[in-house]
Amino acid sequence: MKTESSATVFNVSSSSRSKKFYLEVLGFEVDFEFGNYVGVKYGNVYIHLNEADPGDRKIGSGSIYIFCDEVENYYHDIVSRGSETTGEPFKRPYDMLDFQAVDPDGNLLCFGCPVSE
């Protein structure tokens, strides 16, 4: 088996509000829309935004770690566009420089890159 990609599914309270955030703040683009289910992508990273009934699945409990470059520049870009984060990029003991952004429902997106020695 050869894998090609994957998509994380985040349960959200409003797919239209989430789509706006992912496009305008985080810089993703629309991959597809099917009713209240929206696929967004940034490069090879795919996230599906599922407008869930709160009784079906917990909204805002998702997380993803996105490996990327230029973490500090991206951090400053999205903060300037209104993104909430849990703090600035920080060098972790596991030799990654990363930070977490929080979407409108509380889903966590961690963006990180390896730290060069």
Side-chain angles (χ1 to χ4, degrees):
M1 174 180 79
K2 177 185 174 190
T3 59
E4 295 184 15
S5 66
S6 66
T8 297
V9 178
F10 284 163
N11 290 317
V12 297
S13 58
S14 167
S15 59
S16 61
R17 178 181 71 160
S18 294
K19 179 177 87 170
K20 182 177 180 175
F21 172 80
Y22 279 83
L23 272 57
E24 295 178 8
V25 177
L26 298 184
F28 281 68
E29 59 185 59
V30 172
D31 186 37
F32 70 89
E33 294 186 57
F34 184 73
N36 289 330
Y37 195 91
V38 178
V40 295
K41 66 180 183 173
Y42 194 118
N44 291 324
V45 174
Y46 297 86
I47 297 175
H48 291 184
L49 307 169
N50 177 40
E51 187 171 316
D53 180 330
D56 291 339
R57 296 186 180 251
K58 188 171 181 183
I59 291 172
S61 62
S63 63
I64 185 172
Y65 196 103
I66 299 171
F67 297 90
C68 55
D69 64 358
E70 301 181 10
V71 168
E72 292 175 301
N73 290 338
Y74 184 66
Y75 168 83
H76 292 294
D77 287 345
I78 67 170
V79 167
S80 73
R81 292 192 296 262
S83 179
E84 177 186 345
T85 68
T86 60
E88 295 185 8
F90 181 78
K91 181 182 176 199
R92 307 294 175 176
Y94 42 86
D95 289 331
M96 294 292 285
L97 176 68
D98 61 30
F99 73 94
Q100 289 183 334
V102 183
D103 82 2
D105 287 299
N107 294 301
L108 296 175
L109 298 97
C110 190
F111 296 91
C113 66
V115 175
S116 300
E117 293 297 330

